[in-house]
Amino acid sequence: MSLSSRDRLTIGELAARSGNATSALRYYEEIGLIRAERTAGGQRRYRRATLRRLAFVRAAQRIGLSLEEVRDALAHLPVDHVPSSADWSRVARAWQQRIDAQIAELQQLKEQLGGCVGCGCLSLSRCGLYNPGDRAAGQGPGARYLLGDRPPAG
């Protein structure tokens, strides 16, 4: 089946419709998130279904998934036709565990954040009384207790 010119978008049209910069579209193509066909003159043409893939990328980024995770998921979807609802459901099921873990992390952050805002030193549990000498720094860089490390007993 041959696609009509109406079913193919230039990079500018795809950018306008998807809300992505053309540079982002080129990068997404480079890393395998989307695919373009080339005209005889070397210009990119994207199938209209690419808009769905880009909406998927945007949604995944909004919930904190990496482009690598997105690429892995998109690799399980057909590129020659619009994915079915069953195709999308398989991808969604594969992400459930990842999303549930992220929700748990956000809940923990929500519960702990109020105690850390006052001191400004995110490697402290609540204050110097709970982390004398900044012992959390010995567990690595960053906000150790917010990252899930537990304060040492004692």
Side-chain angles (χ1 to χ4, degrees):
M1 176 176 105
S2 176
L3 294 175
S4 72
S5 61
R6 182 180 139 344
D7 294 322
R8 293 189 179 138
L9 303 171
T10 66
I11 193 167
E13 291 168 333
L14 187 64
R17 289 286 313 277
S18 68
N20 288 291
T22 57
S23 58
L25 297 175
R26 286 186 206 95
Y27 178 67
Y28 290 169
E29 184 180 348
E30 181 182 320
I31 65 171
L33 295 177
I34 61 175
R35 181 185 298 179
E37 298 167 0
R38 299 293 180 143
T39 65
Q43 296 176 335
R44 290 174 169 88
R45 293 294 185 267
Y46 298 90
R47 292 174 182 243
R48 190 166 293 280
T50 304
L51 288 167
R52 286 186 178 94
R53 292 175 79 87
L54 290 169
F56 180 75
V57 170
R58 183 163 300 217
Q61 288 180 305
R62 287 193 67 201
I63 61 170
L65 298 172
S66 70
L67 289 179
E68 184 177 336
E69 289 173 303
V70 174
R71 184 181 60 229
D72 291 346
L74 289 174
H76 298 288
L77 295 174
V79 293
D80 58 341
H81 63 276
V82 176
S84 68
S85 60
D87 293 326
W88 288 115
S89 291
R90 273 194 305 280
V91 170
R93 279 192 307 272
W95 280 2
Q96 286 300 318
Q97 187 174 11
R98 164 69 167 83
I99 292 169
D100 289 344
Q102 184 176 358
I103 289 170
E105 288 174 22
L106 289 171
Q107 187 62 40
Q108 180 183 9
L109 176 62
K110 178 183 172 185
E111 292 168 4
Q112 294 178 344
L113 193 57
C116 290
V117 171
C119 72
C121 178
L122 293 178
S123 68
L124 301 178
S125 175
R126 287 198 179 85
C127 69
L129 295 175
Y130 291 99
N131 188 16
D134 194 15
R135 289 182 301 200
Q139 293 174 295
R144 299 317 312 168
Y145 299 148
L146 291 177
L147 291 171
D149 291 356
R150 297 285 169 232

